[in-house]
Amino acid sequence: MYAYLKGTIEEITEDNLVLEVNQIGYNIKISSGTAGLLSGVGSFVKIYTYTLVREDTFQLYGFLTKDDLDIFKKLITVNGIGPKGGLAILSVMSADELRFAILSGDAKAIAKAPGIGAKTAERVILDLKDKISLEDALAPKEMSSPAAITGETMDYEKKEAVEALVALGYSSSEALKAVKQVEITEDSDTEDILKKALKYLF
């Protein structure tokens, strides 16, 4: 229903945001991770939203990036993960950290979320592993710094670096995290990215 809302923050709690838009206050459920990133009461913000409509419920869920919203939508397709569970997972890890956990089969990391048990975490991995790729995890995000956005060619170079690290025996999660740490420039090639990533792993 609503793609996003732009307005002034009137109130923030660990799991809820009151956003005033054109003199109307919207209650928006958020993760504690999102709450920690908000500037504070009185600041202006754009919130991407998911609208849940049921017979007895009309609730908005809010995210600072489209990426967070997209991963939330994937999470709630998993049997046993409702909107509350989706926010719980995104409260203990970022969207990319969740991708790393899914790609590397790290159920323990997902199970750290409140109310998410080991079996549910394993179900998240099973259901979403084919819907998430290295490209998803490596793609520049809306809140990334300009230096990190280097186009399709650089995404290919990063993907090659990750695959090289995996071939060296590192897990997908370790490789992805290391490559994400590397400062990318226009002069960076696969070998350069790989060398810098290895420094983070040693």
Side-chain angles (χ1 to χ4, degrees):
M1 181 176 288
Y2 303 110
Y4 60 82
L5 294 170
K6 288 183 178 180
T8 304
I9 297 174
E10 292 296 316
E11 182 182 321
I12 305 171
T13 64
E14 187 174 330
D15 63 356
N16 194 77
L17 164 69
V18 177
L19 190 70
E20 183 178 322
V21 182
N22 295 327
Q23 299 183 322
I24 298 174
Y26 292 87
N27 271 309
I28 304 171
K29 291 294 181 185
I30 57 175
S31 70
S32 59
T34 296
L37 291 172
L38 291 170
S39 298
V41 173
S43 60
F44 189 83
V45 69
K46 179 179 181 180
I47 297 289
Y48 293 93
T49 56
Y50 174 82
T51 307
L52 176 67
V53 180
R54 291 178 179 164
E55 187 176 335
D56 58 347
T57 304
F58 184 95
Q59 180 65 60
L60 291 172
Y61 294 83
F63 309 88
L64 285 172
T65 68
K66 284 184 179 179
D67 186 52
D68 287 343
L69 173 60
D70 289 344
I71 202 76
F72 174 79
K73 286 179 177 178
K74 286 184 172 72
L75 275 172
I76 61 177
T77 66
V78 178
N79 185 31
I81 301 285
K84 184 178 179 181
L87 285 187
I89 291 173
L90 291 175
S91 289
V92 299
M93 57 177 55
S94 68
D96 272 345
E97 286 171 340
L98 175 59
R99 288 189 179 98
F100 300 154
I102 291 169
L103 289 168
S104 61
D106 190 355
K108 288 184 178 179
I110 299 172
K112 290 179 181 179
I116 304 298
K119 288 185 178 179
T120 303
E122 289 169 3
R123 192 178 302 125
V124 169
I125 293 170
L126 183 65
D127 287 3
L128 298 185
K129 65 180 180 180
D130 293 330
K131 299 178 182 178
I132 288 174
S133 66
L134 285 175
E135 287 79 4
D136 292 330
L138 292 171
K141 304 304 187 293
E142 181 183 333
M143 294 181 73
S144 296
S145 65
I149 302 174
T150 54
E152 292 181 4
T153 301
M154 190 52 62
D155 287 341
Y156 176 77
E157 302 283 2
K158 290 189 288 186
K159 181 174 181 290
E160 279 200 327
V162 170
E163 290 173 347
L165 289 170
V166 171
L168 289 172
Y170 294 99
S171 70
S172 295
S173 178
E174 290 172 328
L176 284 163
K177 287 181 180 179
V179 170
K180 291 284 285 185
Q181 293 290 325
V182 175
E183 183 177 348
I184 306 296
T185 68
E186 291 183 3
D187 297 326
S188 299
D189 58 17
T190 301
E191 184 178 355
D192 182 52
I193 296 170
L194 181 58
K195 287 178 179 178
K196 291 178 179 177
L198 283 167
K199 289 181 181 179
Y200 285 100
L201 291 166
F202 288 146

